[in-house]
Amino acid sequence: EADIYQTPRYLVIGTGKKITLECSQTMGHDKMYWYQQDPGMELHLIHYSYGVNSTEKGDLSSESTVSRIRTEHFPLTLESARPSHTSQYLCASSDPWRERHNEQFFGPGTRLTVL
Amino acid sequence: SQQGEEDPQALSIQEGENATMNCSYKTSINNLQWYRQNSGRGLVHLILIRSNEREKHSGRLRVTLDTSKKSSSLLITASRAADTASYFCATQGAQKLVFGQGTRLTINP
């Protein structure tokens, strides 16, 4: 079991609310990622970070933003949630300096529903 | 895009049978990985095969890679009910992983 955590696991909120999805890992990994996944579909990379103060946008355009102030923490924020943001959000991490550096470790995900 | 495409989209077999899933991709890769996702959960890494490898085993898993055809297969032997999950291939180029749509595997007791 990977040491990567996401909270909340489920979130149902109304349109226009600001939300932050939390992701933390205790493995000391430099690289972290956020993916968006609709039910039964592939994962789309929306944000990634190669270390503290490093953030990049992924392949899928997203209205969310991320920050990386500490190695272990990579929160994702939506300033004004809309029904189109309803999806599952998965956080992952990897360590480029270790033998299994290509393997990504995933958190359990946050299932977001915006009404 | 080097997105993997998986086939079949869904597979239902009896416990004890073997399950085979296929993945095709479009561009050159450094490695190809397979992940499992149980319903409503995150992904778990199963196995990685490098571009210069043709076959790899891990327990009941066997992965093959044919770079000339840009395709890979995942074989699960002697399936169990606990193998019920979605299986994703992911291709890695220079930096990022790109995931396929997955195969939903159901093992019937």
Side-chain angles (χ1 to χ4, degrees), chain A residues 1 9 31 35 37 40-43 45 48 50 59 88 90 99-100 102-104 106-108 111, chain B residues 3 31 33 35 37 40-45 48 50 88 92 95-102 104:
Chain A
E1 196 75 19
R9 290 293 315 280
K31 291 187 177 182
Y35 293 89
Q37 182 187 30
M41 301 298 288
E42 69 266 47
L43 282 72
L45 182 68
Y48 61 99
Y50 286 160
D59 302 321
Q88 175 160 258
L90 292 164
E99 182 180 350
R100 293 169 65 180
N102 291 307
E103 175 182 346
Q104 291 190 12
F106 281 81
R111 187 170 296 280
Chain B
Q3 181 179 8
N31 66 73
Q33 303 177 37
Y35 287 80
Q37 183 180 35
R41 306 285 299 179
L43 279 70
V44 175
H45 184 268
L48 178 153
R50 302 187 191 286
F88 292 86
Q92 182 152 36
Q95 295 287 345
K96 293 171 281 186
L97 275 181
V98 179
F99 287 83
Q101 288 188 327
R104 187 179 302 275

Side-chain angles (χ1 to χ4, degrees), chain A residues 11-32:
Chain A
L11 180 61
V12 180
I13 60 167
T15 297
K17 299 291 186 183
K18 177 180 178 180
I19 62 166
T20 296
L21 307 184
E22 302 288 349
C23 176
S24 60
Q25 49 95 5
T26 58
M27 298 173 283
H29 288 175
D30 285 331
K31 291 187 177 182
M32 295 189 74

Side-chain angles (χ1 to χ4, degrees), chain B residues 4-9 11 19-25 32 34 62 64 70-75 87-89 100-103:
Chain B
E5 295 182 1
E6 297 183 61
D7 149 62
Q9 290 188 344
L11 178 63
T20 299
M21 290 160 271
N22 302 295
C23 171
S24 61
Y25 57 93
L32 185 145
W34 286 89
R62 173 177 167 256
T64 62
K70 290 185 170 59
S71 67
S72 173
S73 68
L74 170 67
L75 168 68
Y87 291 81
F88 292 86
C89 71
Q101 288 188 327
T103 293

Side-chain angles (χ1 to χ4, degrees), chain A residues 30-101:
Chain A
D30 285 331
K31 291 187 177 182
M32 295 189 74
Y33 315 83
W34 276 103
Y35 293 89
Q36 185 174 338
Q37 182 187 30
D38 291 326
M41 301 298 288
E42 69 266 47
L43 282 72
H44 292 288
L45 182 68
I46 52 175
H47 298 283
Y48 61 99
S49 166
Y50 286 160
V52 172
N53 294 325
S54 154
T55 60
E56 302 286 344
K57 289 192 177 295
D59 302 321
L60 181 68
S61 176
S62 174
E63 295 168 343
S64 58
T65 59
V66 292
S67 63
R68 189 87 184 277
I69 298 172
R70 303 198 319 261
T71 297
E72 62 271 22
H73 198 212
F74 191 39
L76 180 146
T77 298
L78 275 166
E79 289 293 332
S80 179
R82 295 190 279 116
S84 61
H85 297 138
T86 294
S87 189
Q88 175 160 258
Y89 293 84
L90 292 164
C91 180
S93 70
S94 65
D95 189 336
W97 308 111
R98 296 185 183 172
E99 182 180 350
R100 293 169 65 180
H101 59 277

